[in-house]
Amino acid sequence: MSAGKKLPLEGLRVADFCWIGAGSYTTKVLGDMGADVIKIESSARLDSLRLAGPYTDGKAGVNRSGYFADRNSSKRGITVDMKHPRALEVIGRLVAQSDIVANNFAAGVMDKFGLGYEDVRRMRPDVIYLAMSMQGAEGPQRDFRGTGSSIAALTGIQDLSGLPGRIPAGTGTNYPDHLPNPTHAAFAVLAALRHRRRTGEGQYIDFAQTEPMLALLGPTFLDLTVNGRLQQRRGNVHPWAAPHGVYPCAGEDRWIAITVMDDAQWAALVRVMGSPEWTTDEKLATMPERYRAREELDRRLAAWTATQDAQALMRALQAEGVPAGAVQDARDVTRDDPQLRHRGHWVRLPHAEMGETIYNNLPFRFARTPVAPHRPAPLLGEHTREVLADMLGFSESEVAGFEAEGVLK
Amino acid sequence: MAAAALEGLRILDLSGAMGNYAGKMFGDMGADVILVEPPGGSELRREPPFIGDVAGPERSLSFAYQNTSKRGICLDLDTASGQHILREIAATADLVIESFPPGWMAARGIGHAALAARRPSIVTTSITPFGQDGPYAQFAATDLVGLALGGLLYIGGYRDAAPTQAHGDQAFKCAAMYGAVAAMLAVTEAELSGEGQHVDVAMQECVTLALENSAQGYDLEGAVRLRPPGDQRFAGYGLFPCKDGYIYLGSRGIGTSPAWARTLQWLKDDGMEGVQRLFRPEWSDTAWLKTVEARDTFADLFIPWAMRHTKAWLYEEGQKRLIPLAPVSTPADLLDNPQLAARGHFVPFVHPLVATAARMPGAPYVLSRTPWRTQRRAPLLGEHTAEVLAEIGITKEDVARLCAAGIAA
């Protein structure tokens, strides 16, 4: 059999009820990799990312958000008011043709729509049903609500990141929304698809948006349950290496990360510094000694970096084998970084209302299969008629009837 | 019980800190994952925390956590015999995960082309800091450097201090999580087409998926997103201290949002001193809520009240009133979290050097038919060398000779 350039998920259909953060980034992976993802929205209850900036030219509008667009590449979009009594007439047909039904509503919402797992199984017996609630399907706090910020707080990443003695800083973002939850959910779906290929059986994936973040903090929990140590915020201090930190550079709010992991890298750093006298101190000869002297090392190093250009210093240090990286801001990564450009990370797609804007590509390349988002985010309801008529087989008058009754809001 | 979702897949994990978590994701879903270490052991065995804070090849909790559900063998891949044995095992494998510098595998005759010559369906997933080629391909990187060049470090921390890292080597984890997704996608494609391929995953690029809306913020509005200004993004929205730590309060601060009205009602019902001030008309104005004065006023009133209550009480009571409030959990809080307990999230940690009962994070997802399950604890150094080599027809005597020669261990 000859393998072509067919995408891995071609031929699969996803009925995508996901909205906002983690869910939409999960189904982006499926869409970018070839699945036919039909995003179900409603103007009666908008995906709140459509109302979250940034917007093209700074002008708000439901079809203008870059935050929304990036998470919804390679999807078609339809609008159905799920609270309308006739909604299931439309959605039932879609679900029957879907391999995967995905949502990230609070537990119980899909049941109210008549689309709980057992309902959907009756429409599509081998369905893979991904339910990404915040707390999971059952349990005493299953109805406790929140958003990405709540999840970052609840799961420990907030508490553990930042400076000791100050309020927890976290990552500055709703980190679990962006990688931990989308990647784990996509992996779970791919595993379930393999099981279905082998047995014909679908299944239910109960995904609590708290758990992947915890799974990434295993050693931190083991330090507590095995050693009795409750880990604390420690800034950029490494458990055993020094110097290891973020140092100021020339310009406003410019910084470089420098990490010296062994004696050879220390010798290389000293060379790049021009071997100043203080570096010959015998008390800095070994890693444990440098680690003990790390605060002074940090001060010395910061004084040396402060007048230098971060990118030039990074190149000089890397040329000598020192792991160092300019602390890049949004402009640096999107416009200047030569490595991301080389990899074609940022993809520009034309959109009817936004014009050409940037999307994240998936962060991997296959030798044979192209990896790239292939369609911009849908306008609100852009494909409603197309999907109802061409895919679901409703006649023009039936579609008009749904429209007249407000089903397709 | 149904077969595990990934049963029948054989995987060679040659990676370390940047990839071992990906191998764990496969192993915990039922794949036969063989960790291949050099005779001296993986570098991750030298990473803390250690059992009882004593270093040693069998004492690293980082290693023990990220290598559950794997068998382990030791091979010196710098020797012709070691390379030959690796090719023989790979001829029975579906996936190789590796994180060596670009070109390292090919130079030893074990690159993807060599492995695919024997086994056309094999997928090789290379997880590296910057990818296989491009201007930074040979740059050295640590976790902090990955965060810096990927753009996440810049937005983490405090506006008045140097950027601070995310806890728990999250840049490595980003690479491992997307590495697992990419590998699973390529395995899916290979199972369908019969042909494997090489997969190139770059940590830097994975980290850019964590930038929330900041890349689009620059692209669309020319705005460089900075670290958060302080504890509250706007009045009533952000982190606040309480009696035993911190909470996240997501009342959104928008005068008309139901959560804000509910928050005010709660504070009033509980008799918070000065609550009347928050009912004045300016508190319905979003622009006002963003002012320093509004933030300070809210903090001055709210914090003394919050300081009288615990995280757990505020979480419980706030949720009863449908306010998106969450505790800023510490690892200790999470071990006691009633919802996670009801889900059975934490599972026993078994290790020959740990006599007392200890726990670690368990399933990141609950699949109804093919559950997540730890197949076995992480392997001791060379624990399965004889067993795995026997599977490819190498006799016990030959294994002993290989070990004596330092080629295996």
Side-chain angles (χ1 to χ4, degrees):
Chain A
M1 195 182 344
S2 166
K5 290 185 185 286
K6 221 173 130 183
L7 292 171
L9 305 183
E10 246 178 81
L12 293 175
R13 181 161 294 142
V14 182
D16 181 14
F17 292 89
C18 293
W19 63 340
I20 323 180
S24 297
Y25 239 11
T26 305
T27 50
K28 169 193 168 79
V29 176
L30 306 179
D32 285 354
M33 294 314 298
D36 183 13
V37 178
I38 310 296
K39 184 178 175 82
I40 299 126
E41 300 180 80
S42 175
S43 57
R45 191 156 184 215
L46 283 172
D47 184 332
S48 57
L49 281 200
R50 286 194 179 273
L51 306 173
Y55 303 104
T56 299
D57 305 324
K59 272 182 15 205
V62 295
N63 293 318
R64 302 181 70 81
S65 164
Y67 198 172
F68 176 88
D70 182 48
R71 280 168 192 259
N72 291 287
S73 60
S74 310
K75 304 177 189 178
R76 294 194 281 171
I78 68 173
T79 45
V80 176
D81 179 2
M82 289 310 301
K83 292 189 176 148
H84 195 285
R86 294 190 65 195
L88 277 186
E89 290 176 43
V90 177
I91 292 301
R93 278 202 202 175
L94 174 58
V95 164
Q97 293 188 34
S98 294
D99 302 278
I100 298 157
V101 173
N103 81 85
N104 62 327
F105 294 127
V109 170
M110 287 291 274
D111 302 83
K112 280 185 206 151
F113 295 158
L115 291 170
Y117 177 55
E118 292 304 328
D119 303 316
V120 168
R121 244 177 111 183
R122 278 192 288 276
M123 305 173 201
R124 174 79 186 209
D126 66 347
V127 73
I128 292 164
Y129 188 98
L130 172 67
M132 300 173 69
S133 61
M134 176 169 156
Q135 306 276 4
E138 300 296 338
Q141 298 179 345
R142 75 161 212 163
D143 295 325
F144 282 23
R145 307 294 166 91
T147 60
S149 307
S150 318
I151 296 168
L154 188 58
T155 55
I157 187 70
Q158 185 86 37
D159 172 70
L160 290 161
S161 307
L163 291 170
R166 289 190 65 167
I167 201 160
T171 63
T173 64
N174 302 335
Y175 176 65
D177 273 0
H178 308 317
L179 277 105
N181 288 326
T183 56
H184 282 82
F187 190 82
V189 166
L190 293 167
L193 280 167
R194 182 171 187 269
H195 181 72
R196 199 186 70 163
R197 286 198 301 279
R198 283 152 46 93
T199 64
E201 292 172 351
Q203 58 182 319
Y204 172 60
I205 304 171
D206 171 16
F207 191 101
Q209 287 196 47
T210 50
E211 290 179 324
M213 189 67 243
L214 304 181
L216 295 169
L217 300 175
T220 305
F221 283 102
L222 284 172
D223 205 13
L224 179 58
T225 66
V226 173
N227 292 330
R229 179 184 297 107
L230 182 62
Q231 292 201 13
Q232 311 279 341
R233 291 185 288 289
R234 57 166 197 248
N236 296 317
V237 174
H238 189 272
W240 52 264
H244 180 283
V246 175
Y247 305 93
C249 287
E252 197 182 329
D253 205 29
R254 302 311 329 212
W255 309 86
I256 188 168
I258 299 174
T259 57
V260 173
M261 310 309 286
D262 59 33
D263 292 345
Q265 291 174 5
W266 169 246
L269 172 63
V270 167
R271 270 198 310 279
V272 178
M273 282 193 280
S275 305
E277 180 144 12
W278 64 268
T279 58
T280 59
D281 188 338
E282 276 179 24
K283 285 193 216 104
L284 299 177
T286 66
M287 184 65 86
E289 289 168 306
R290 290 192 292 276
Y291 193 72
R292 273 196 294 279
R294 64 184 180 272
E295 288 182 16
E296 191 188 337
L297 267 179
D298 283 347
R299 273 194 297 278
R300 297 269 196 182
L301 210 47
W304 174 69
T305 59
T307 55
Q308 306 194 54
D309 175 74
Q311 297 281 345
L313 182 54
M314 167 179 76
R315 288 191 294 273
L317 289 167
Q318 285 284 357
E320 295 292 321
V322 179
V327 179
Q328 303 203 102
D329 65 20
R331 183 185 191 287
D332 299 326
V333 291
T334 56
R335 293 289 193 270
D336 296 335
D337 186 284
Q339 184 65 19
L340 292 171
R341 190 182 310 131
H342 174 82
R343 289 182 67 82
H345 178 72
W346 302 107
V347 177
R348 303 191 72 85
L349 295 173
H351 179 279
E353 197 167 328
M354 301 175 74
E356 215 180 80
T357 67
I358 56 165
Y359 291 73
N360 277 285
N361 198 354
L362 295 175
F364 48 83
R365 302 293 172 272
F366 293 153
R368 176 163 47 74
T369 312
V371 175
H374 42 83
R375 188 196 269 279
L379 303 169
L380 184 62
E382 181 178 351
H383 305 99
T384 306
R385 279 186 159 268
E386 171 185 315
V387 167
L388 264 67
D390 302 345
M391 184 197 298
L392 306 182
F394 289 109
S395 70
E396 217 165 285
S397 64
E398 285 172 309
V399 175
F402 287 132
E403 255 171 5
E405 288 189 43
V407 183
L408 306 179
K409 240 180 358 202
Chain B
M1 203 172 81
L6 303 186
E7 193 173 283
L9 283 181
R10 175 173 277 200
I11 293 160
L12 301 185
D13 182 356
L14 280 68
S15 73
M18 223 183 288
N20 280 167
Y21 184 79
K24 171 181 165 68
M25 287 173 74
F26 279 89
D28 290 342
M29 290 300 282
D32 174 19
V33 182
I34 300 166
L35 181 71
V36 182
E37 303 180 69
S42 155
E43 282 189 4
L44 200 54
R45 291 184 183 271
R46 295 190 270 282
E47 288 300 322
F50 297 107
I51 295 164
D53 288 336
V54 179
E58 305 299 355
R59 306 188 72 90
S60 165
L61 293 166
S62 295
F63 177 88
Y65 179 73
Q66 296 188 47
N67 291 295
T68 58
S69 302
K70 301 179 191 178
R71 297 190 287 168
I73 68 172
C74 291
L75 274 185
D76 184 351
L77 297 176
D78 285 328
T79 64
S81 304
Q83 293 155 11
H84 172 75
I85 294 167
L86 187 90
R87 283 190 297 269
E88 292 297 314
I89 306 173
T92 68
D94 303 287
L95 170 65
V96 170
I97 301 172
E98 64 94 6
S99 58
F100 293 111
W104 195 96
M105 297 270 285
R108 284 160 181 76
I110 51 175
H112 179 73
L115 304 183
R118 289 282 301 280
R119 173 93 162 171
S121 63
I122 200 166
V123 169
T124 305
T125 299
S126 299
I127 304 176
T128 56
F130 302 101
Q132 295 295 299
D133 47 39
Y136 293 174
Q138 298 295 338
F139 272 18
T142 55
D143 186 78
L144 190 66
V145 169
L147 293 175
L149 282 168
L152 185 59
L153 187 54
Y154 185 77
I155 52 182
Y158 313 84
R159 203 168 280 182
D160 63 352
T164 53
Q165 67 188 350
H167 173 89
D169 290 339
Q170 294 305 318
F172 287 172
K173 298 302 188 305
C174 289
M177 287 185 273
Y178 259 117
V181 172
M184 192 62 215
L185 283 160
V187 166
T188 299
E189 202 272 346
E191 287 192 328
L192 296 170
S193 74
E195 278 186 48
Q197 57 186 320
H198 183 252
V199 179
D200 171 9
V201 183
M203 166 171 64
Q204 179 195 21
E205 210 183 346
C206 294
V207 171
T208 65
L209 272 288
L211 299 184
E212 215 157 79
N213 60 359
S214 61
Q216 288 71 29
Y218 185 75
D219 186 54
L220 298 179
E221 299 186 357
V224 168
R225 178 162 157 179
L226 306 172
R227 294 183 291 290
D231 312 336
Q232 296 177 73
R233 292 207 179 166
F234 35 92
Y237 181 89
L239 295 195
F240 297 91
C242 65
K243 191 175 182 178
D244 58 349
Y246 296 93
I247 54 156
Y248 159 78
L249 173 62
S251 74
R252 280 275 168 199
I254 294 161
T256 53
S257 99
W260 175 246
R262 290 170 191 150
T263 304
L264 288 188
Q265 191 60 45
W266 181 24
L267 301 176
K268 193 176 165 197
D269 292 349
D270 204 70
M272 182 181 94
E273 202 166 322
V275 71
Q276 317 79 273
R277 285 185 68 183
L278 302 178
F279 283 90
R280 288 179 193 165
E282 66 266 27
W283 290 88
S284 309
D285 173 8
T286 314
W288 158 254
L289 296 173
K290 289 185 177 161
T291 63
V292 174
E293 194 186 345
R295 295 205 303 254
D296 286 351
T297 305
F298 187 85
D300 288 346
L301 295 170
F302 182 76
I303 292 173
W305 177 80
M307 290 299 287
R308 302 201 332 258
H309 301 293
T310 63
K311 284 178 272 197
W313 185 87
L314 289 162
Y315 186 32
E316 192 85 30
E317 292 300 309
Q319 288 286 342
K320 270 187 209 158
R321 292 173 180 261
L322 304 177
I323 296 160
L325 186 154
V328 177
S329 312
T330 67
D333 296 335
L334 289 158
L335 288 170
D336 288 339
N337 179 297
Q339 178 66 10
L340 293 167
R343 289 179 66 77
H345 178 76
F346 291 97
V347 297
F349 171 70
V350 179
H351 192 285
L353 299 177
V354 176
T356 52
R359 289 184 292 159
M360 64 178 176
Y365 21 63
V366 180
L367 279 72
S368 60
R369 281 184 188 272
T370 57
W372 179 100
R373 188 173 70 87
T374 304
Q375 295 187 54
R376 57 174 84 229
R377 58 159 171 76
L380 305 174
L381 198 59
E383 186 174 352
H384 306 97
T385 302
E387 178 183 313
V388 171
L389 267 50
E391 288 169 12
I392 55 161
I394 299 178
T395 63
K396 236 184 239 174
E397 294 70 36
D398 282 340
V399 172
R401 267 192 291 278
L402 288 164
C403 290
I407 292 159

mmCIF file of all heavy atoms in Angstrom, chain A residues 5 10 25-27 50 62 66 132 134 139 153 157 160 173 186 228 231 245 270 291 305 324 326 354 370 375 383 404:
data_model
loop_
_atom_site.group_PDB
_atom_site.id
_atom_site.type_symbol
_atom_site.label_atom_id
_atom_site.label_comp_id
_atom_site.label_asym_id
_atom_site.label_seq_id
_atom_site.Cartn_x
_atom_site.Cartn_y
_atom_site.Cartn_z
ATOM 1 N N LYS A 5 -0.233 11.757 0.875
ATOM 2 C CA LYS A 5 -0.174 12.914 1.757
ATOM 3 C C LYS A 5 -1.499 13.112 2.482
ATOM 4 O O LYS A 5 -1.825 14.200 2.920
ATOM 5 C CB LYS A 5 0.171 14.153 0.928
ATOM 6 C CG LYS A 5 1.611 14.132 0.423
ATOM 7 C CD LYS A 5 1.950 15.425 -0.285
ATOM 8 C CE LYS A 5 3.330 15.411 -0.899
ATOM 9 N NZ LYS A 5 4.420 15.521 0.053
ATOM 10 N N GLU A 10 -8.302 12.375 8.209
ATOM 11 C CA GLU A 10 -9.241 12.567 7.100
ATOM 12 C C GLU A 10 -10.343 11.520 7.152
ATOM 13 O O GLU A 10 -10.102 10.352 7.455
ATOM 14 C CB GLU A 10 -8.484 12.442 5.769
ATOM 15 C CG GLU A 10 -8.460 13.749 5.004
ATOM 16 C CD GLU A 10 -7.663 13.632 3.715
ATOM 17 O OE1 GLU A 10 -8.218 13.137 2.715
ATOM 18 O OE2 GLU A 10 -6.489 14.017 3.750
ATOM 19 N N TYR A 25 -9.171 24.493 21.551
ATOM 20 C CA TYR A 25 -7.790 24.179 21.141
ATOM 21 C C TYR A 25 -7.623 22.671 20.895
ATOM 22 O O TYR A 25 -6.768 22.264 20.124
ATOM 23 C CB TYR A 25 -6.785 24.662 22.191
ATOM 24 C CG TYR A 25 -5.767 25.670 21.659
ATOM 25 C CD1 TYR A 25 -5.902 26.262 20.410
ATOM 26 C CD2 TYR A 25 -4.650 26.031 22.416
ATOM 27 C CE1 TYR A 25 -4.964 27.180 19.939
ATOM 28 C CE2 TYR A 25 -3.712 26.949 21.949
ATOM 29 C CZ TYR A 25 -3.877 27.524 20.707
ATOM 30 O OH TYR A 25 -2.944 28.421 20.249
ATOM 31 N N THR A 26 -8.436 21.862 21.569
ATOM 32 C CA THR A 26 -8.393 20.412 21.327
ATOM 33 C C THR A 26 -8.917 20.096 19.924
ATOM 34 O O THR A 26 -8.285 19.351 19.168
ATOM 35 C CB THR A 26 -9.286 19.678 22.358
ATOM 36 O OG1 THR A 26 -8.872 20.040 23.673
ATOM 37 C CG2 THR A 26 -9.208 18.175 22.167
ATOM 38 N N THR A 27 -10.061 20.671 19.583
ATOM 39 C CA THR A 27 -10.648 20.326 18.286
ATOM 40 C C THR A 27 -9.900 21.013 17.138
ATOM 41 O O THR A 27 -9.980 20.562 16.005
ATOM 42 C CB THR A 27 -12.154 20.643 18.254
ATOM 43 O OG1 THR A 27 -12.373 21.979 18.705
ATOM 44 C CG2 THR A 27 -12.918 19.685 19.157
ATOM 45 N N ARG A 50 -15.279 35.045 21.160
ATOM 46 C CA ARG A 50 -15.637 35.976 20.074
ATOM 47 C C ARG A 50 -15.747 37.413 20.606
ATOM 48 O O ARG A 50 -15.674 38.359 19.842
ATOM 49 C CB ARG A 50 -16.978 35.570 19.444
ATOM 50 C CG ARG A 50 -16.904 34.331 18.543
ATOM 51 C CD ARG A 50 -18.169 34.224 17.706
ATOM 52 N NE ARG A 50 -18.174 33.075 16.810
ATOM 53 C CZ ARG A 50 -17.648 33.082 15.575
ATOM 54 N NH1 ARG A 50 -17.076 34.164 15.098
ATOM 55 N NH2 ARG A 50 -17.715 31.998 14.831
ATOM 56 N N VAL A 62 -18.040 40.198 16.519
ATOM 57 C CA VAL A 62 -18.069 38.749 16.766
ATOM 58 C C VAL A 62 -17.194 37.975 15.784
ATOM 59 O O VAL A 62 -16.811 36.837 16.061
ATOM 60 C CB VAL A 62 -19.506 38.158 16.731
ATOM 61 C CG1 VAL A 62 -20.346 38.714 17.873
ATOM 62 C CG2 VAL A 62 -20.176 38.394 15.387
ATOM 63 N N GLY A 66 -8.913 37.771 17.300
ATOM 64 C CA GLY A 66 -7.765 36.914 17.001
ATOM 65 C C GLY A 66 -7.636 35.767 17.985
ATOM 66 O O GLY A 66 -7.148 34.692 17.648
ATOM 67 N N MET A 132 -15.346 17.482 28.467
ATOM 68 C CA MET A 132 -14.259 18.166 29.183
ATOM 69 C C MET A 132 -14.825 19.181 30.171
ATOM 70 O O MET A 132 -14.679 20.384 29.991
ATOM 71 C CB MET A 132 -13.356 18.902 28.188
ATOM 72 C CG MET A 132 -12.699 18.025 27.162
ATOM 73 S SD MET A 132 -11.822 19.008 25.896
ATOM 74 C CE MET A 132 -10.459 19.681 26.845
ATOM 75 N N MET A 134 -15.023 21.022 33.970
ATOM 76 C CA MET A 134 -13.922 21.472 34.823
ATOM 77 C C MET A 134 -13.582 20.448 35.895
ATOM 78 O O MET A 134 -12.416 20.200 36.192
ATOM 79 C CB MET A 134 -14.304 22.804 35.475
ATOM 80 C CG MET A 134 -13.266 23.307 36.463
ATOM 81 S SD MET A 134 -13.608 25.011 36.948
ATOM 82 C CE MET A 134 -12.781 25.089 38.519
ATOM 83 N N GLY A 139 -19.064 13.466 41.464
ATOM 84 C CA GLY A 139 -18.295 13.887 42.641
ATOM 85 C C GLY A 139 -18.963 15.047 43.340
ATOM 86 O O GLY A 139 -19.808 15.735 42.757
ATOM 87 N N ALA A 153 -5.523 28.361 39.290
ATOM 88 C CA ALA A 153 -5.451 28.526 40.747
ATOM 89 C C ALA A 153 -5.660 27.191 41.451
ATOM 90 O O ALA A 153 -4.902 26.804 42.336
ATOM 91 C CB ALA A 153 -6.500 29.536 41.206
ATOM 92 N N ILE A 157 -0.446 25.233 39.837
ATOM 93 C CA ILE A 157 0.580 25.899 39.024
ATOM 94 C C ILE A 157 0.693 27.369 39.422
ATOM 95 O O ILE A 157 1.767 27.962 39.391
ATOM 96 C CB ILE A 157 0.324 25.720 37.503
ATOM 97 C CG1 ILE A 157 1.480 26.254 36.663
ATOM 98 C CG2 ILE A 157 -0.988 26.371 37.055
ATOM 99 C CD1 ILE A 157 2.752 25.458 36.739
ATOM 100 N N LEU A 160 2.658 27.660 42.851
ATOM 101 C CA LEU A 160 4.057 27.219 42.821
ATOM 102 C C LEU A 160 4.957 28.108 41.974
ATOM 103 O O LEU A 160 6.174 27.958 42.013
ATOM 104 C CB LEU A 160 4.113 25.774 42.304
ATOM 105 C CG LEU A 160 3.540 24.724 43.259
ATOM 106 C CD1 LEU A 160 3.207 23.429 42.513
ATOM 107 C CD2 LEU A 160 4.518 24.442 44.397
ATOM 108 N N THR A 173 -0.782 33.478 32.548
ATOM 109 C CA THR A 173 -1.796 33.035 31.574
ATOM 110 C C THR A 173 -2.663 31.966 32.227
ATOM 111 O O THR A 173 -2.374 31.519 33.326
ATOM 112 C CB THR A 173 -1.134 32.375 30.352
ATOM 113 O OG1 THR A 173 -0.458 31.185 30.804
ATOM 114 C CG2 THR A 173 -0.129 33.291 29.680
ATOM 115 N N ALA A 186 -6.695 15.574 23.269
ATOM 116 C CA ALA A 186 -6.470 15.062 21.908
ATOM 117 C C ALA A 186 -5.869 13.663 21.970
ATOM 118 O O ALA A 186 -6.255 12.769 21.202
ATOM 119 C CB ALA A 186 -5.545 16.010 21.136
ATOM 120 N N GLY A 228 7.843 14.475 52.503
ATOM 121 C CA GLY A 228 7.202 15.403 53.431
ATOM 122 C C GLY A 228 7.511 16.863 53.157
ATOM 123 O O GLY A 228 7.285 17.715 54.011
ATOM 124 N N GLN A 231 6.632 21.907 48.422
ATOM 125 C CA GLN A 231 7.419 22.834 47.594
ATOM 126 C C GLN A 231 6.767 24.211 47.559
ATOM 127 O O GLN A 231 5.548 24.349 47.678
ATOM 128 C CB GLN A 231 7.594 22.271 46.183
ATOM 129 C CG GLN A 231 8.490 21.043 46.176
ATOM 130 C CD GLN A 231 9.087 20.756 44.805
ATOM 131 O OE1 GLN A 231 9.049 21.566 43.880
ATOM 132 N NE2 GLN A 231 9.659 19.561 44.669
ATOM 133 N N GLY A 245 19.270 31.925 35.788
ATOM 134 C CA GLY A 245 18.306 32.979 36.064
ATOM 135 C C GLY A 245 18.023 33.849 34.866
ATOM 136 O O GLY A 245 18.410 33.536 33.737
ATOM 137 N N VAL A 270 32.627 32.362 31.505
ATOM 138 C CA VAL A 270 33.740 33.204 31.966
ATOM 139 C C VAL A 270 34.507 33.749 30.761
ATOM 140 O O VAL A 270 34.845 34.938 30.706
ATOM 141 C CB VAL A 270 34.661 32.402 32.919
ATOM 142 C CG1 VAL A 270 35.974 33.145 33.157
ATOM 143 C CG2 VAL A 270 33.947 32.133 34.244
ATOM 144 N N TYR A 291 26.672 27.312 43.561
ATOM 145 C CA TYR A 291 25.276 27.323 44.003
ATOM 146 C C TYR A 291 25.139 28.058 45.332
ATOM 147 O O TYR A 291 24.216 28.849 45.521
ATOM 148 C CB TYR A 291 24.750 25.886 44.126
ATOM 149 C CG TYR A 291 23.247 25.830 44.260
ATOM 150 C CD1 TYR A 291 22.418 26.123 43.170
ATOM 151 C CD2 TYR A 291 22.644 25.497 45.470
ATOM 152 C CE1 TYR A 291 21.034 26.083 43.290
ATOM 153 C CE2 TYR A 291 21.256 25.459 45.595
ATOM 154 C CZ TYR A 291 20.461 25.750 44.501
ATOM 155 O OH TYR A 291 19.100 25.721 44.616
ATOM 156 N N THR A 305 25.402 41.906 32.175
ATOM 157 C CA THR A 305 24.443 41.796 31.067
ATOM 158 C C THR A 305 23.717 43.114 30.804
ATOM 159 O O THR A 305 23.227 43.340 29.698
ATOM 160 C CB THR A 305 23.360 40.725 31.368
ATOM 161 O OG1 THR A 305 22.667 41.091 32.577
ATOM 162 C CG2 THR A 305 23.954 39.343 31.510
ATOM 163 N N ALA A 324 21.509 29.659 26.698
ATOM 164 C CA ALA A 324 21.041 31.016 26.986
ATOM 165 C C ALA A 324 19.977 31.366 25.965
ATOM 166 O O ALA A 324 20.032 30.919 24.819
ATOM 167 C CB ALA A 324 22.204 32.005 26.896
ATOM 168 N N ALA A 326 17.329 34.774 24.743
ATOM 169 C CA ALA A 326 16.700 36.076 24.924
ATOM 170 C C ALA A 326 15.266 35.844 25.389
ATOM 171 O O ALA A 326 14.594 34.930 24.914
ATOM 172 C CB ALA A 326 16.717 36.851 23.615
ATOM 173 N N MET A 354 -11.587 39.619 8.815
ATOM 174 C CA MET A 354 -10.344 40.020 9.492
ATOM 175 C C MET A 354 -9.195 40.282 8.533
ATOM 176 O O MET A 354 -8.172 40.831 8.929
ATOM 177 C CB MET A 354 -9.912 38.937 10.479
ATOM 178 C CG MET A 354 -10.948 38.647 11.551
ATOM 179 S SD MET A 354 -10.471 37.268 12.612
ATOM 180 C CE MET A 354 -9.194 38.037 13.613
ATOM 181 N N PRO A 370 1.644 16.786 5.280
ATOM 182 C CA PRO A 370 1.720 18.224 5.575
ATOM 183 C C PRO A 370 0.995 18.561 6.883
ATOM 184 O O PRO A 370 -0.077 18.040 7.146
ATOM 185 C CB PRO A 370 1.009 18.868 4.378
ATOM 186 C CG PRO A 370 0.172 17.784 3.774
ATOM 187 C CD PRO A 370 0.826 16.475 4.104
ATOM 188 N N ARG A 375 -7.812 26.221 6.985
ATOM 189 C CA ARG A 375 -9.015 27.019 6.822
ATOM 190 C C ARG A 375 -9.054 28.028 7.958
ATOM 191 O O ARG A 375 -8.770 27.666 9.101
ATOM 192 C CB ARG A 375 -10.205 26.054 6.913
ATOM 193 C CG ARG A 375 -11.559 26.610 6.594
ATOM 194 C CD ARG A 375 -12.601 25.641 7.108
ATOM 195 N NE ARG A 375 -13.045 24.609 6.178
ATOM 196 C CZ ARG A 375 -13.948 24.781 5.218
ATOM 197 N NH1 ARG A 375 -14.492 25.960 5.008
ATOM 198 N NH2 ARG A 375 -14.336 23.783 4.460
ATOM 199 N N HIS A 383 -21.296 28.380 7.932
ATOM 200 C CA HIS A 383 -21.549 27.161 7.153
ATOM 201 C C HIS A 383 -22.880 26.504 7.497
ATOM 202 O O HIS A 383 -23.083 25.327 7.184
ATOM 203 C CB HIS A 383 -20.394 26.178 7.364
ATOM 204 C CG HIS A 383 -19.057 26.782 7.030
ATOM 205 N ND1 HIS A 383 -18.210 27.290 7.989
ATOM 206 C CD2 HIS A 383 -18.462 27.006 5.836
ATOM 207 C CE1 HIS A 383 -17.130 27.779 7.402
ATOM 208 N NE2 HIS A 383 -17.254 27.633 6.101
ATOM 209 N N ALA A 404 -36.979 30.352 10.125
ATOM 210 C CA ALA A 404 -38.145 31.158 10.495
ATOM 211 C C ALA A 404 -38.516 30.945 11.963
ATOM 212 O O ALA A 404 -38.950 31.863 12.649
ATOM 213 C CB ALA A 404 -39.325 30.810 9.592
#
